[in-house]
Amino acid sequence: MEAIRYHLGVEMWYAVGVGVLTLLTVWIAHRWRNPKAKHVNLPPGSMGLPLIGETFQLITPGYSLDLHPFIKSRLQRYGAVFKTSVAAQPVVISADPDMNNHIMLQEGKSVEMRYMDTYSKMFNLDGESRINAAGFIHKYYRGKTLAHFGSQSLQEKLLPLIEVAVQKALNSWSEKESIEVKNETSAMVFEFTARQIFGYDPEESSVKLSDKFSNFLGCLMTLPLNFPGTKYYNCMKDHKYIMNMLKQVVKDRLAVPKTQEESGDFLDSAIKDIGTEKLVTEEFVVYLLFALLVASYDSVSLTLAVAFKLLSEHPSVLEELTAEHDAIVNSRIDKDSSLTWEEYKSMTFTRQVINETLRIGPIAPGLLRRTLQDIEVKGYKIPAGWTVMVVTAAQQYNPEAFEEPDKFNPSRWKELDSSIISKNFMPFGGGTRQCAGAEYSKAFMAVFFHKLLTQYRWTKVRGGDIIRNPLLGFKDGIHIKVSVKH
């Protein structure tokens, strides 16, 4: 009898435990999906599963150049603004132009750029000090980048160096049966940029740094499961290797006697500010180098890869682009002379092709910001600490701004109003937050096209199928054959 009562008691408490656990699970799931107790005016949307959120839906591949299906379907379901959760982070996603403009104008006030979060943790910043630091860091980063990669530096120094680097890469490609555009152009741009930043020489390095960055950036959209065997774990190993290498680079440069001639690169300039500019420390410089290298890795190469796809599908555009560059060479007294700044600035159709490629094939769906305090916009309240994604890609496909937005038509840029462009075309960010490397990126692409189209022939061999998860990529790359013109 005692045994029966014992087993009944165990079963009763087991049933009670299961019931409580079930109720707790349901309650947690409900609160997760409907976080409205404190903030009653959140945008519509679903937070997905507890902790996981809608991460799997976001990383499920899409196969078009425009918006990822996760964003497209939810914009159709909830409207231009909705909430979700990705990798345990609450997110508001907005394709509303007015809201996006408001968010961009709030930078340094109630929102910050996502990269600032790393610097804030580094300096243990919060509140007003965090906002002030955000302004300083952005201004410092932008100033240094423009000084070394802006228009003046391009005109005085970088343009002929880019031409030499492109020529070297194209010569190498012409000796191969075929090359995969994204990988090869990533390495070309990355290694050139790294050389300008801290004197990196891939031929003297035991490990190819561009490969480490490729591995690291290639798994950022995976679930953050940081244990051996996972993709994220391997990603973090590559990140650790990169950071350790950059720390050593900075230490080695700091150890160089001041009497020795300086390299005059980005790192030299940043090191001079250690101890003289607030917040500029050895650790800060390391993170600065890392941020600049990340920014340089994919932007140019992915745009060039998309351009090869689009040009191979639109031969009339390729013909007009080639004619513009042939005309530049034919107008020279010395046909073998280097590209001049005036010739670069004369490439009107080239700029239109670049702009149209950036418009129709946005690399990322939008720009990320983090709220520093509760903000109210468009009738919604977004809590402090949430991420806001400004979906600039949706504006670039706005049919009211761009006629037949799905069509690749570089000539549309001849007559587009500047106000329409400023409101709907932000591939490098907008306003004072526009990427300081925008002109550098465009110049690199223009020089690349000039050398390719005047001295080489190319044909697409295979690939070119788009995949988004949600960053732009190619299913099997895009492979081309490059040969020297005779």
Side-chain angles (χ1 to χ4, degrees), residues 90-159:
V91 183
V92 167
I93 296 180
S94 169
D96 183 285
D98 293 333
M99 180 169 174
N100 291 350
N101 184 57
H102 177 81
I103 294 295
M104 300 296 280
L105 291 174
Q106 286 300 306
E107 283 185 26
K109 301 173 186 176
S110 59
V111 305
E112 66 180 4
M113 299 179 79
R114 277 297 301 266
Y115 75 78
M116 262 301 303
D117 188 53
T118 299
Y119 291 100
S120 299
K121 290 177 181 176
M122 184 198 312
F123 297 114
N124 195 27
L125 299 172
D126 203 0
E128 189 64 29
S129 63
R130 178 171 179 150
I131 295 174
N132 292 336
F136 168 79
I137 291 170
H138 175 76
K139 184 178 179 181
Y140 182 86
Y141 177 89
R142 181 176 177 80
K144 288 294 181 187
T145 303
L146 284 173
H148 290 271
F149 296 97
S151 294
Q152 187 173 346
S153 183
L154 283 164
Q155 184 175 356
E156 295 176 356
K157 173 187 174 185
L158 292 181
L159 204 68

